[in-house]
């Protein structure tokens, strides 16, 4: 079956650094991608999303880049803060008959040291 | 109101018990979801309701029985569960209709089956 995966399971950075979390996907029909942040004991929290007709989207301190040629997605967090420490999941949806079905990657643990 | 609420927060049940998990949203979303998340793993989709009708069942065992009594509520009825069903159960909601949309997650119910 199709899958979404992450290259690095853990990322440790210093406060103020920029962080980059990567994600590979294999379903070429995927048309919607989303990044979630999950803190311990909480549900996933939306960070940013991007549709397949775009290659970059920016939010507050976050940027998502989509490279459809190599099926790669990344999340960039600027000036990382201790409050950014969490597990980050990418997820994809291929629409069509899979409408509503988000497939999550394995997650990356981000640890920000003060 | 951009919140998905879930009750109870924690639940401990025996293998012969019958219990229910509840989820509520008041964002006017017509798609609602149940996910199961084991420790250190990504959420896995169980069920999708679209316009109060079950649209996706990811081959979930019949000991899990979803119900969508109205557009704001989603229940998950549990009966004769196994210890391996212990997990965090997450509810989510989104806009329904054509295209993929951001799913808003609740905080989850932490279920322990003894």
């Amino acid at each position: 079956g199709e899958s979404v995966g992450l290259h690095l399971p853990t990322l440790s950075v210093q406060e103020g650094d920029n962080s980059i979390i990567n994600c590979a996907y294999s379903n070429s029909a995927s048309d919607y991608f989303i990044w979630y942040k999950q803190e311990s004991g909480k549900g996933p929290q939306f960070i940013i999303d991007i549709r397949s007709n775009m290659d970059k989207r920016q939010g507050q301190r976050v940027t998502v880049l989509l490279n459809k040629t190599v099926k790669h997605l990344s999340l960039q967090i600027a000036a990382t803060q201790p409050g950014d420490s969490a597990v980050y999941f990418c997820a994809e949806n291929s629409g069509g008959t899979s409408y509503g079905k988000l497939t999550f990657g394995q997650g990356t643990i981000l640890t920000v040291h003060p | 109101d951009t919140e998905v609420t879930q009750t109870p927060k924690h639940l401990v049940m025996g293998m012969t018990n019958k219990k229910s998990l509840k989820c509520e949203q008041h964002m006017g979303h017509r798609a609602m979801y149940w996910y199961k998340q084991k420790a250190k793993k990504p959420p896995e989709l169980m069920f999708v309701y679209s316009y109060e009708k079950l649209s996706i069942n990811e081959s979930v065992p019949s000991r899990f029985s979803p119900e969508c009594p109205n557009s704001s509520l989603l229940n998950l009825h549990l009966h004769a569960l196994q210890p391996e069903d212990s997990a965090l159960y997450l509810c989510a909601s989104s806009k329904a209709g054509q295209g993929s949309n951001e799913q808003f997650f609740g905080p989850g119910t932490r279920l322990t089956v003894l």
Side-chain angles (χ1 to χ4, degrees):
Chain A
E2 301 292 350
S3 66
V4 178
L6 293 173
H7 293 302
L8 298 173
T10 62
L11 179 64
S12 185
V13 300
Q14 290 296 127
E15 182 177 2
D17 287 351
N18 296 332
S19 302
I20 299 176
I21 301 171
N22 296 301
C23 180
Y25 65 95
S26 56
N27 185 355
S28 56
S30 297
D31 60 3
Y32 177 69
F33 303 87
I34 190 166
W35 281 99
Y36 283 99
K37 171 188 179 184
Q38 187 172 25
E39 296 175 274
S40 181
K42 297 184 178 180
Q45 177 188 356
F46 171 84
I47 301 173
I48 193 167
D49 58 2
I50 189 167
R51 298 193 185 275
S52 59
N53 60 353
M54 303 173 70
D55 53 20
K56 180 179 180 178
R57 191 160 188 230
Q58 288 185 287
Q60 188 176 16
R61 283 200 307 119
V62 295
T63 301
V64 56
L65 299 177
L66 175 62
N67 185 331
K68 294 181 287 293
T69 302
V70 296
K71 299 193 189 75
H72 184 267
L73 190 69
S74 68
L75 175 70
Q76 300 178 1
I77 306 174
T80 317
Q81 303 166 1
D84 295 326
S85 295
V87 180
Y88 288 80
F89 292 102
C90 64
E92 60 90 12
N93 187 299
S94 58
T97 56
S98 300
Y99 165 72
K101 181 176 177 179
L102 275 184
T103 302
F104 283 77
Q106 291 305 302
T108 291
I109 301 171
L110 175 64
T111 303
V112 182
H113 300 283
Chain B
D1 184 0
T2 58
E3 193 178 43
V4 176
T5 59
Q6 290 187 244
T7 56
K9 197 173 176 113
H10 300 276
L11 178 62
V12 179
M13 60 187 290
M15 290 189 284
T16 59
N17 292 159
K18 284 185 182 181
K19 296 287 185 183
S20 296
L21 309 185
K22 297 187 184 301
C23 174
E24 188 167 5
Q25 57 88 16
H26 295 288
M27 293 179 276
H29 291 164
R30 300 301 295 277
M32 296 186 77
Y33 312 80
W34 280 115
Y35 288 83
K36 174 182 177 179
Q37 186 177 25
K38 300 285 276 185
K40 301 188 189 303
K41 295 290 186 183
E44 294 180 344
L45 182 68
M46 300 174 72
F47 302 104
V48 180
Y49 272 83
S50 180
Y51 298 100
E52 295 85 68
K53 288 185 169 43
L54 184 65
S55 60
I56 296 178
N57 176 341
E58 289 288 284
S59 303
V60 179
S62 60
R63 58 185 184 270
F64 295 91
S65 175
E67 178 197 18
C68 190
N70 61 53
S71 60
S72 300
L73 294 173
L74 185 67
N75 299 322
L76 186 63
H77 303 298
L78 314 173
H79 178 230
L81 294 194
Q82 303 297 310
E84 59 264 28
D85 296 321
S86 298
L88 181 68
Y89 287 84
L90 293 162
C91 174
S93 72
S94 75
K95 294 178 185 177
Q98 290 297 319
S100 302
N101 294 291
E102 173 193 349
Q103 293 183 18
F104 291 79
F105 282 83
T109 293
R110 176 75 60 189
L111 174 68
T112 302
V113 182
L114 300 176

